[in-house]
Amino acid sequence: MLLVFPKRLKAARLAAGLSQERLGVLAGVDEMSASARMNQYERGKHAPDHSMVARLADVLHVPVAYFYASSDDEAALLLAFHRLSIAQRLAVLDFVSQQLPGSGDASAP
């Protein structure tokens, strides 16, 4: 398991203002074990399967990829992009593609 997952899960949970128990319950974990399970994920003792990661991402309003971003700046970029409207996302993608070498833009490096 990537060691970054526990760090990202805890950060997203705290940013959402949720307890471990509440996050687990909202993600579909039985109320009696929700807190313990989320605690194990945050400590890196156990890793959730992809289905659980997708449910956690949905509850926390973050993209699944956020949990696995290896750098903090990449994680921040994923969160920011996720919060944009579809039109804003398309504009960002267009802008970024124009900045890449070989994009056909005469001003590109």
Side-chain angles (χ1 to χ4, degrees):
M1 175 181 74
L2 295 174
L3 295 177
V4 73
F5 180 85
K7 172 185 171 181
R8 301 262 183 256
L9 177 60
K10 184 174 184 176
R13 178 182 62 78
L14 293 174
L18 296 173
S19 66
Q20 289 177 334
E21 179 181 14
R22 185 70 181 142
L23 172 59
V25 169
L26 291 173
V29 178
D30 179 74
E31 191 171 346
M32 296 302 291
S33 61
S35 181
R37 172 110 55 103
M38 293 305 111
N39 183 270
Q40 290 174 345
Y41 293 161
E42 286 186 9
R43 289 183 321 164
K45 185 170 181 171
H46 293 288
D49 63 18
H50 182 71
S51 173
M52 174 56 73
V53 173
R55 291 195 310 267
L56 291 168
D58 187 51
V59 170
L60 295 168
H61 307 292
V62 300
V64 169
Y66 165 78
F67 293 119
Y68 302 104
S70 58
S71 66
D72 291 341
D73 59 340
E74 183 180 334
L77 185 59
L78 285 165
L79 285 178
F81 187 78
H82 185 76
R83 293 177 179 143
L84 297 174
S85 69
I86 298 295
Q88 290 170 321
R89 289 180 185 191
L90 292 173
V92 167
L93 289 173
D94 184 53
F95 172 78
V96 170
S97 68
Q98 290 177 25
Q99 305 309 305
L100 298 174
S103 65
D105 183 1
S107 65

